Amino acid sequence: MNGARRALLASPTPQAQAAAVDLRERYEWVPIAEAETVIALGGDGFMLQTLHAQLDRRTPVVPVFGMNLGTVGFLMNEWRSSGLEARLAATRPFKVTPLRMTATTVSGETHVIPAINEVSFLRETRQTAKLEVTLNERVVLPELACDGILVATPAGSTAYNLSAQGPILPLASSLLALTPISPFRPRRWRGAIVPDSARISIRVLDAAKRPVSAVADQREVREVAKVEIAIDRARDLTLLFDPEHALDDRITMEQFIA
């Protein structure tokens, strides 16, 4: 990565903007369309925005090296302004394969949106959501009464999925987590781990009375009738990490945090 054409992106927060000024004075940068590597300054939310912007452009994606100037920064490296070229030369790349959410609304509109962390379903009103869950064309849950449900990738398994008591998935596991949010019935169902080759379909039962929204990372589609979820292997993304801050090790160690 040393000497590669780099683009610099920063979140609008004062800390990230100040860091961007510092880096622009120290190093040479090119427009995003000419970049071979992207440096992203911010938190995990800004990293997701940066990755989604690459997917939206439908051009060849380039590796992203994030530096944390946000809150959690699980997908980011430590912020340091010095030694950037040496750090980039030593980075470890990690492939992240997004999900593809195809959501059909009650009115018949179709939205296709990628998700890097998770696709989540959330009730829109005080009424409990009732969902039918299908796995590879087989109905596995005829009626799940809950506040919602989510499908998480390994990269996203330590985010919303973990907060909902879902399992942590190793980065190279080729698995997806299917995790309910405040399930009421079936009372004993606490989720499932499925191969990432699985085709997952979720249909909203009584959508008029019990409206549900579907959220792909940060993008919401309201009043959905049905959503289909599958891995999109044609759009792999690459994240770069310092060797001592590698993503696979961080995900593993999350299992031992009390």
Side-chain angles (χ1 to χ4, degrees):
M1 295 296 171
N2 198 5
R5 295 191 301 274
R6 298 183 294 264
L8 179 63
L9 300 176
S11 79
T13 65
Q15 300 95 320
Q17 289 297 310
V21 171
D22 188 359
L23 291 182
R24 288 191 181 99
E25 293 176 349
R26 291 172 177 261
Y27 307 101
E28 294 184 1
W29 305 96
V30 299
I32 185 70
E34 301 173 15
E36 297 173 349
T37 308
V38 171
I39 310 301
L41 307 179
D44 286 340
F46 185 70
M47 173 61 84
L48 290 176
Q49 291 178 31
T50 301
L51 295 173
H52 275 284
Q54 290 207 51
L55 295 174
D56 290 346
R57 281 195 294 270
R58 295 291 173 184
T59 57
V61 297
V62 298
V64 181
F65 181 83
M67 287 194 277
N68 186 29
L69 287 152
T71 305
V72 179
F74 192 84
L75 298 175
M76 315 298 277
N77 297 278
E78 179 185 351
W79 157 249
R80 294 197 303 271
S81 60
S82 61
L84 179 60
E85 292 191 354
R87 289 177 74 184
L88 291 175
T91 55
R92 289 180 60 188
F94 289 90
K95 293 287 186 183
V96 175
T97 305
L99 297 168
R100 181 180 64 253
M101 177 184 84
T102 304
T104 303
T105 67
V106 173
S107 62
E109 296 179 349
T110 299
H111 303 265
V112 181
I113 307 174
I116 296 156
N117 272 358
E118 76 276 319
V119 172
S120 55
F121 301 80
L122 304 167
R123 61 186 176 98
E124 294 182 12
T125 68
R126 66 183 184 278
Q127 295 281 355
T128 300
K130 290 189 176 181
L131 309 172
E132 177 193 79
V133 180
T134 300
L135 185 67
N136 296 329
E137 316 304 328
R138 176 183 178 184
V139 176
V140 290
L141 286 174
E143 182 177 292
L144 171 65
C146 56
D147 280 356
I149 192 173
L150 62 86
V151 180
T153 66
S157 66
T158 59
Y160 189 8
N161 173 70
L162 183 58
S163 297
Q165 308 301 312
I168 295 174
L169 304 176
L171 191 61
S173 63
S174 299
L175 298 171
L176 299 174
L178 188 60
T179 302
I181 303 168
S182 300
F184 180 64
R185 288 196 182 96
R187 287 190 179 275
R188 297 197 304 175
W189 192 68
R190 291 295 179 265
I193 298 173
V194 301
D196 68 2
S197 59
R199 301 180 308 281
I200 300 167
S201 177
I202 299 175
R203 185 168 66 91
V204 180
L205 305 176
D206 198 2
K209 180 180 178 182
R210 303 172 185 272
V212 173
S213 65
V215 184
D217 289 340
Q218 302 158 332
R219 303 181 184 185
E220 181 183 35
V221 179
R222 297 183 68 83
E223 297 184 356
V224 298
K226 183 179 181 180
V227 173
E228 297 177 347
I229 304 163
I231 282 285
D232 187 357
R233 300 192 186 281
R235 301 294 287 172
D236 279 348
L237 298 160
T238 301
L239 301 181
L240 302 175
F241 288 89
D242 293 320
E244 70 277 8
H245 201 73
L247 183 60
D248 57 348
D249 185 57
R250 298 190 74 191
I251 290 175
T252 298
M253 294 309 297
E254 280 288 317
Q255 300 176 84
F256 301 96
I257 295 176

